[in-house]
Amino acid sequence: MKKLYIETYGCQMNFADSEVVASILKDTFDLTKTIEEADLILINTCSIRDKAEQRIHKRLTELEALKKHHHGLQIGLLGCMAERMKEELLATEPVLDFIAGPDAYRSLPELIEKSSEGETQFNVLLSTDETYDDVMPVRYDTNGISAYISIMRGCNNFCSYCVVPYTRGRERSRDPKTILAEAEDLIQKGFKEVTLLGQNVNSYHWQENGVTVSFARLMEMVAQLSPTLRVRFATSHPKDISDELLETMARYDNICKYIHLPVQSGSNQVLKKMNRVYTREYYLERVRKIRELMPDCAISTDIIAGFCGETLEDHLQTLSIMREVGYEYAYMFKYSERGGTMSAKRFKDDIPDEEKTRRLEEIIALQGELSHESNLRDVGKTFTILVEGVSKRSPEYLYGRNSQNKVIIFPKENHQIGEYIEVTVTRCTPATLFA
Ligand code: 5AD
Ligand code: SF4
């Protein structure tokens, strides 16, 4: 059989998609981890920021050299960049044999076949109903413990800075029966943790024969499959973080007490321009509700520094909301203008790069303090952790994660990967807990 090598960039959704792709091609290609022996290389790309795209261009240049030495090697580009810049890629990246957007993966066998005859192929059609619901993903890069389950695709929110609604199309939910079957299959295979994935999971919505399944209900059904299966989810939009969802999370021990709740900015004026459709006050009220129902729940966030027209006062508001919430963790970015988005069309990208960097550095420094404070609060506490692997620093140590998604490192002794154990945190660094 021919050999397939997949390289994935970007978000968790892309990693889940690569598993779908591996499944679609499994009858014709065996997966390999050695790029030199591949007959087909697939690059699953991300367009979220300019930096992500630059990295891919660089990678494609490197692959050109490989292609010269390997007669018959095919290279295909998948994902968001395919969608966003098909024309440009076709014109400037002759190394590519074919291009396939996120909803076009079922056509991969055909694209591969046709492009092997010489002409570059593409399919970037977006669909309103494709969810790959009948494709059982091939878990090829796995610890055998944690897996993603994609439950919905696309996005209808149109945050003004964001390219996702254009690259991944409209929101659509997957049939809950197929989600439960996939979770059941993972349990049978010994997996201990699933993360329900979507660009905006709490917009999940399924209706059949007059019965509606909300995201909260779906998560409950997954949690009920087994008390020893941990359930996580990502990502939620603050506008949809309903009481029903929080109450369901609080009710089940095996639903992890961790919410990734991207705030983006702490300033109402900026939030409005970003089309986030919530205010600072609404967001803080949701955080209050989370704390009321789940005092031990960890919250992480995404923050963008230097959005169009962001004043110093707006920036200070971002720092103050970070302090007010006391995030456990944050993903922090400089605003990067994306062609075709609302903000690219309507607003000027007017914060100089040095100033964006300065603001981002302040945000990163503050988050460092907040994460450290949060870790210090955990010293002395006992957590149930799921053992996930061997510590990178020493084979004598293992690491696991607590419900709050924090990594804890502890001596190996007789413990096994995949076990649940109780550990007491004895010390911490700003980034890590030790037990
Ligand atoms: N520039 C910078 N960051 C962005 N994000 C999305 N679009 C952009 C952009 N144009 C960030 C947001 C989002 C995360 C996945 O990436 O914070 O939540
Ligand atoms: Fe990147 Fe967004 Fe596409 Fe994920 S959905 S790969 S984050 S652009």
Side-chain angles (χ1 to χ4, degrees), residues 11-18 150 152-154 168 197-199:
C11 61
Q12 295 162 318
M13 286 296 289
N14 263 17
F15 285 83
D17 280 3
S18 288
S150 170
M152 52 94 61
R153 301 178 71 82
R168 284 186 168 268
L197 275 190
Q199 247 77 38

Side-chain angles (χ1 to χ4, degrees), residues 33-34 85 175 212 227 306 313 341 388 409 417:
K33 287 189 174 165
T34 315
M85 45 201 306
D175 185 334
T212 302
E313 176 53 31
T341 58
E388 288 180 26
I409 296 180
I417 293 168

